[in-house]
C-alpha cells in the first residue's frame, strides 16, 4: 500500500509540474480510434512563400513538385514562389493501443507540400526538411523524425515550455498570442521564433482556410535508411479542444542568427524574417505511420 501511495503521489506531482498548463483539453477521440495513435495539437499552421529554386534545391533526389495540383489547390499561387508549411505548436495527451507513454512535445516543423513522392502526377505529399522537437529521452517525436529520415532534426527547448503560445494583453484589451520560441539544445543562443497574432486587417490572404487545411492533411513521406517511408496524420479540424474557434493569423518566422538548415526560407541579403499567414487551432489528430506508400495515392 505504501508503494502504491508513493506511485500515486509521483503521478500527481508529475501532472502538477509548474508551467505545464495548456489552453487545450484532453484527447477526445482516443476511444474512436483505439488501434491508432491519437493526440491533441495546440498551435498554428502557417504558410510562407519562398523562392522556387531554393525550395527545389532541398527536395530528395528524384522527386519534384506537383505544379498542376499546386495551381489547382492554391488560388494565390505564384510561378516563381513556392509554399512552405510551418507547424508550430505543442502536442499532448498522446494515446496509443500499446499504452506506451509518448511524452508531450513542442515542435516547429518546416515542410514542403505538393511533392510528387509517388511519381503518379496527382498525389501531393508533404516533405519535412527541418524540425525542432522537444529535447527529451525517450522521445517518440525524435524517434519518428529519425525513422522518416528528416534531414535536420534539432532537439530543442521551447518557450513557453508546455503550451504553444503565452498570451499578452493587446491594445484592444483582449489577449493576443505572443511568440513560440524554439532554442536548439546544443546552441541555446540561437532562436527560431514564430509569432502568430490574430490578423486584424481585412487584406487578402494568399492561402484560404480550406486550402491550408488540405495542405496540412496531405500525407507525409521521407527517405529512411531502407528507402521511402510514408504515413498520414489526419488533423480533425472539426474537433476543437480548447479554443473557441479557428483564428486567422498574420505574423512572421524569424531567426536571431544564421541557421544553415533554414537558409532556403530567406532571399540572399535579406533580413532573417519571413511573413507568414496561418490559422491558430486547438484540435485532435489521428496518426497512421509506416504504411504502404501506394495505399496513400489519390
Amino acid at each position: 500500500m505504501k508503494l502504491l501511495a508513493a506511485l500515486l503521489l509521483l503521478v500527481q506531482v508529475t501532472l502538477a509540474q509548474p508551467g505545464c498548463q495548456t489552453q487545450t483539453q484532453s484527447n477526445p477521440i482516443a476511444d474512436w480510434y483505439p488501434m491508432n495513435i491519437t493526440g491533441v495539437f495546440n498551435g498554428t499552421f502557417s504558410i510562407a512563400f519562398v523562392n522556387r529554386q531554393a525550395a527545389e534545391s532541398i527536395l530528395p533526389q528524384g522527386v519534384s513538385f506537383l505544379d498542376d495540383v499546386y495551381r489547382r489547390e492554391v488560388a494565390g499561387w505564384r510561378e516563381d514562389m513556392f509554399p512552405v508549411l510551418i507547424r508550430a505548436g505543442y502536442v499532448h495527451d498522446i494515446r496509443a493501443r500499446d499504452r506506451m507513454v509518448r511524452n508531450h512535445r513542442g515542435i516547429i516543423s518546416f515542410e514542403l507540400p505538393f511533392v510528387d513522392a509517388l511519381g503518379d502526377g496527382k498525389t501531393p505529399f508533404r516533405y519535412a526538411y527541418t524540425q525542432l522537437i522537444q529535447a527529451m529521452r525517450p522521445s517518440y517525436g525524435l524517434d519518428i523524425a529519425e525513422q522518416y529520415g528528416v534531414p535536420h532534426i534539432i532537439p530543442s527547448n521551447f518557450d513557453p515550455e508546455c503550451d504553444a503560445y503565452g498570451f499578452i494583453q493587446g491594445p484592444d484589451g483582449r489577449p493576443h498570442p505572443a511568440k513560440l520560441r524554439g532554442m536548439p539544445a546544443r546552441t541555446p543562443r540561437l532562436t527560431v521564433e514564430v509569432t502568430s497574432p490574430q490578423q486584424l486587417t481585412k487584406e487578402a490572404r494568399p492561402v484560404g482556410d480550406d486550402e491550408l487545411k488540405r495542405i496540412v492533411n496531405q500525407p507525409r513521406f521521407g527517405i529512411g535508411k531502407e528507402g521511402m517511408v510514408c504515413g498520414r496524420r489526419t488533423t480533425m479540424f472539426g474537433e476543437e479542444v480548447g479554443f473557441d474557434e479557428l483564428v486567422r493569423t498574420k505574423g512572421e518566422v524569424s531567426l536571431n542568427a544564421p541557421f544553415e538548415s533554414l537558409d532556403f526560407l530567406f532571399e540572399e541579403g535579406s533580413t532573417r524574417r519571413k511573413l507568414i499567414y496561418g490559422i491558430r487551432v486547438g484540435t485532435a489528430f489521428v496518426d497512421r505511420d509506416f504504411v504502404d506508400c501506394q495505399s496513400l495515392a489519390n
Side-chain angles (χ1 to χ4, degrees), residues 91-156:
V91 180
H92 67 92
D93 203 15
I94 303 169
R95 310 282 188 87
R97 180 181 63 169
D98 58 18
R99 300 185 182 275
M100 185 178 76
V101 174
R102 290 164 172 82
N103 294 324
H104 64 266
R105 60 184 180 272
I107 184 169
I108 301 178
S109 181
F110 298 85
E111 307 172 5
L112 295 175
F114 299 109
V115 180
D116 190 7
L118 300 182
D120 64 2
K122 63 179 182 178
T123 305
F125 278 72
R126 293 180 294 114
Y127 173 65
Y129 182 68
T130 297
Q131 292 189 319
L132 284 75
I133 301 174
Q134 196 93 39
M136 60 175 73
R137 284 295 182 186
S139 171
Y140 178 73
L142 290 169
D143 292 344
I144 288 291
E146 290 169 1
Q147 290 178 67
Y148 272 92
V150 175
H152 301 281
I153 304 167
I154 305 169
S156 300

Side-chain angles (χ1 to χ4, degrees), residues 206-246:
V207 178
D209 297 347
D210 289 339
E211 295 170 348
L212 181 49
K213 290 177 183 178
R214 288 194 293 270
I215 289 172
V216 169
N217 278 329
Q218 289 179 10
R220 66 180 295 187
F221 85 100
I223 307 301
K225 294 180 179 179
E226 298 182 3
M228 187 177 294
V229 181
C230 299
R232 183 192 291 275
R233 166 172 292 182
T234 301
T235 298
M236 305 178 73
F237 288 99
E239 292 297 325
E240 287 83 5
V241 289
F243 300 140
D244 291 337
E245 59 184 7
L246 176 149

